[in-house]
Structures are given as C-alpha cells and as structure tokens.
Amino acid sequence: MATDIKDAAHAVGAAAVMRLLPARPRLLALGEPTHGEDALLDLRNELFRQLVEQEGYRTITIESDCMMGLVVDDYVTSGTGTLDEVMERGFSHGFGASEANRQLVGWMREYNEGRPASERLRFAGFDGPLEITGAASPRRALTALHGYLSARVDAALLPCTAEALDRLLGADDRWTNPEAMLDPARSVGQSAEAGQLRLLADDLVALLDAQTPHLLATESRDDWDRAHLYGRTATGLLRHHYWMADASPARMSRLCALRDVMMAHNLLALAARGPALVHAHNLHLQRAKSTMGMWQGPVEWWSAGALVGARLGEGYAFVATALGTIRHRGVDTPPPDTVEGLLYALPDDRCVVDAPRLATALGDTRPAPRVSPWFGYVPFDPACLADSDGIVFVKDVP
C-alpha cells in the first residue's frame, strides 16, 4: 500500500494539478486548513502564477469582502491608488497585513502592465461583508445600487428616493453592534425599517434586471456586473441581519449557511465572466457538508463549494491543502493512521496527491480523523477523500 500511496503523489505544479482533472474547470478552488500562514499563501501564489501563465486563468478570487475587493481590482487593472492603500482598504479579516497577499497583488499589477483589457488579470473578494462577530451595515451596497440606477433610468421607476433609504438605514452602528451575534434581541434585522429595506432592495434588483437591455446598450458590462454585486450584497446582508435577530436553535447553522450562499452567488457570477482561481478555507470549498463547533454547540451547513459544485458539475474542481506540522502552533507530527500521517511518511516536503487514487489505494482501510490541539487549524476530514479532486500536502509549516 505504501507504494500505491507514493504513486498517487507528484511534485507540486500547475501541470500536476491539471492532470487530476478531466478538463480545465471554470472554477478551480484551492483550500487551506488554517488562515494566516504565509508559507501556504506563498505556495498558493506560486501555483496561481503557473495556472495563469499555462492554463489561461484570468481571475483570482479569495475569501475576502467582495465590496472591499473592488479596491484591489481597480488597482490591478488600472493602477488606481497605491499598493499601501490597497492593502489597507481592499481586504477584510486582516488579510491585507499578509506579505504573501501583498506580493500577489503586486504581481497581478505587474502582469497587467501594457496588456490589453481582454488579457488583464482581475481580482475579486467573494465573501460577504461579514465577520464571525457580525455583519456590516447594508448601507454601502444598497446606496451604490440605488445610485447606479438613479443615474441611468427614469426616476419614476425607482421604488424610493436616496433620502428615504438613508432614513430607513439610520446610523450604521445599529447594524454593526457586536453584541447582536450573541444576543439576537440586540439585532435590528427584524425591525420594521429592516423589513422595508428588504422589500426595497428586492425592488431595486428587479429594476436592474428589467432594465438590462438599456443598461448594457449604454453602459459597460463591468459597471452592470458591479451593480449586480451591489444587489447581491445588499439582499444578502439584509437576509443575514434578519436571521441574526432569530432566537431559534437553528440560528447559527442558518447564519453559516447564508454566508456560504452569498459566497456561492459571487463565485457563480465570476464563473459566468470567465475561468477563475479560488482560494479560501477548506470548509468553504469542500463538496461535503461542513461542520464546526461554536459556543452553542456544533453547526453544519452546505459550503459554497458544495453549492457551486452542484450547479457546475465538472466545471468546479476542489483541491484541499493538508498539513503535517505547524509546530509554532503546537501542531506536531501527525499520527500515522491519519491521512496527514500517511502523507507525512512520503519523502517529499510538499506534493500534489491524487485524492481518488489515494482512496483506492487505501481500500477498506479507513484513516482515523486527526484531532488538532489548536482551534485555528482544521485537519483534513478523511470522509472528504472521495469528494476532493486532489490534495496539496505540505509536510512542515516553518
């Protein structure tokens, strides 16, 4: 069996990844089992550069705020702003502090220099404006959508004025109160004003759809795409806030699911534009149901990858990342009967593993699930072997 496992592993590179797949997928997703390790992001950057240059991918999207990501896209496509400003204002979750992310953005900008628009790389965040502690105000997305439409269609068609939106939105700190995540009663998501805003957001998105022939005939496709991003974000945030005010036992499972629904809608929109490379936590990209322990107990939901994979079929591919050790986090050599332990015995420091072939090599042997001593690292779930197209294995994170 050891020989069979070795035969399933190959040197890391774009060619090795593509050999795992029947054809170039519309969305090629690379997962990570923990955030904040630049060694993993350096490997991501290396792979993504190769996939851009060898396979023609033109969009790179990561698990970051989709609205903030517009700042990065403007920079890499047209040089708007400075790299320092972009790293400060273009990323959520603290990802702008990563040197590897800075290098990725800088490389994308350099790649685009002198190239025609059709050949330039695009950047996108595909997460909603959400943190584990709460959700953003819908103000930015909702007013941007209203502003786009009010400049382009007859005012009589608009369901409300900008002043009416502002009055209903109120102060932003009503929406971002951090106490609302633990106490549903502190959320404004089921207030009368929020209910009116949900209806208005729906009407504005419907108007955007109804005016598509006029808008595409007179405006750029990029502006129209951004308006739809505003619409998806506004309706998604208002839906999320509504269920933040829910006190039922299913509250956190529903909120996790709604976040990944927002992610999936953004990914499908990017796939419609062209082939894209995706990077996020394994839990957001795997095809199996995701599970996580939270303060009120375990929650489970269908990830963005599961939702997108169900829609795109072979147009979606998922390659997980698994780790041997992160010693500075207390994650030491994996037990030999785990997936990580089996791969740790291989001679290479990192490799691309054919997950279905590994599953076949294991036969009836079922690897044990690994238990992490650090909450920030989620080990590879052996039950996901059959649902993964491949695994990038990194033996040791420095």
Side-chain angles (χ1 to χ4, degrees):
M1 185 173 71
T3 301
D4 292 336
I5 293 174
K6 187 175 181 179
D7 289 343
H10 309 278
V12 173
V17 171
M18 297 309 293
R19 281 196 296 269
L20 303 175
L21 311 172
R24 184 184 74 171
R26 199 74 167 170
L27 294 175
L28 175 50
L30 174 66
E32 63 176 0
T34 183
H35 289 319
E37 296 294 342
D38 269 6
L40 300 184
L41 300 183
D42 288 337
L43 178 58
R44 173 205 65 186
N45 291 353
E46 178 185 334
L47 265 179
F48 281 8
R49 289 187 193 111
Q50 293 177 22
L51 288 162
V52 164
E53 293 166 354
Q54 299 173 24
E55 300 296 332
Y57 283 93
R58 288 294 176 265
T59 295
I60 293 175
T61 183
I62 73 169
E63 183 190 337
S64 184
D65 183 331
C66 57
M67 296 286 287
M68 298 177 78
L70 298 175
V71 173
V72 187
D73 190 50
D74 286 340
Y75 175 76
V76 301
T77 55
S78 61
T80 303
T82 67
L83 184 55
D84 285 341
E85 292 168 346
V86 167
M87 299 312 296
E88 181 179 350
R89 299 191 297 111
F91 292 86
S92 60
H93 311 323
F95 293 159
S98 162
E99 178 60 28
N101 282 337
R102 185 184 184 89
Q103 291 174 2
L104 175 66
V105 174
W107 171 76
M108 292 177 73
R109 177 66 198 136
E110 291 175 8
Y111 183 95
N112 285 341
E113 285 284 1
R115 294 181 187 270
S118 61
E119 296 180 13
R120 290 177 195 154
L121 300 181
R122 303 290 302 271
F123 180 91
F126 73 93
D127 199 355
L130 306 167
E131 297 281 357
I132 193 65
T133 53
S137 164
R139 175 182 298 279
R140 182 182 174 192
L142 200 50
T143 55
L145 175 59
H146 187 279
Y148 172 86
L149 289 168
S150 64
R152 293 163 175 82
V153 303
D154 189 332
L157 297 174
L158 293 167
C160 65
T161 64
E163 292 74 19
L165 275 185
D166 184 65
R167 184 172 61 254
L168 289 169
L169 285 162
D172 284 347
D173 59 9
R174 297 170 63 235
W175 300 91
T176 58
N177 181 357
E179 295 180 8
M181 181 53 74
L182 295 176
D183 183 2
R186 305 302 294 268
S187 171
V188 299
Q190 293 187 16
S191 65
E193 294 86 355
Q196 288 180 265
L197 287 168
R198 288 187 79 184
L199 292 174
L200 290 173
D202 183 70
D203 283 341
L204 287 168
V205 171
L207 179 59
L208 177 63
D209 288 336
Q211 292 293 313
T212 293
H214 162 67
L215 294 169
L216 288 181
T218 58
E219 300 292 332
S220 75
R221 178 64 183 246
D222 278 353
D223 288 342
W224 184 82
D225 282 340
R226 284 199 176 192
H228 274 278
L229 173 62
Y230 300 149
R232 292 193 302 273
T233 305
T235 55
L237 278 174
L238 286 164
R239 187 181 302 117
H240 195 276
H241 279 289
Y242 179 88
W243 288 107
M244 279 187 69
D246 174 54
S248 76
R251 177 177 183 261
M252 288 309 304
S253 289
R254 183 176 278 113
L255 290 176
C256 289
L258 288 176
R259 179 185 179 189
D260 275 67
V261 165
M262 292 180 72
M263 289 182 171
H265 288 167
N266 287 331
L267 288 175
L268 289 169
L270 292 171
R273 191 171 74 187
L277 299 168
V278 184
H279 187 256
H281 200 286
N282 289 333
L283 290 178
H284 290 304
L285 299 176
Q286 65 190 31
R287 290 186 177 93
K289 263 192 172 180
S290 296
T291 60
M292 183 168 59
M294 301 194 78
W295 54 86
Q296 84 303 324
V299 297
E300 66 174 24
W301 72 98
W302 289 109
S303 74
L307 298 171
V308 169
R311 296 278 292 272
L312 297 184
E314 290 185 353
Y316 177 73
F318 168 55
V319 178
T321 295
L323 303 178
T325 72
I326 324 174
R327 298 192 192 280
H328 62 282
R329 300 291 191 183
V331 180
D332 292 321
T333 305
D337 59 344
T338 63
V339 170
E340 291 90 343
L342 292 167
L343 298 178
Y344 198 83
L346 296 174
D348 299 319
D349 289 335
R350 59 186 201 178
C351 57
V352 171
V353 180
D354 185 329
R357 186 171 180 178
L358 175 59
T360 300
L362 293 174
D364 294 331
T365 301
R366 296 187 177 183
R370 187 183 189 185
V371 178
S372 173
W374 176 49
F375 74 94
Y377 162 62
V378 180
F380 184 81
D381 183 351
C384 290
L385 264 180
D387 292 323
S388 302
D389 296 293
I391 300 171
V392 171
F393 181 70
V394 177
K395 181 171 285 189
D396 298 295
V397 174

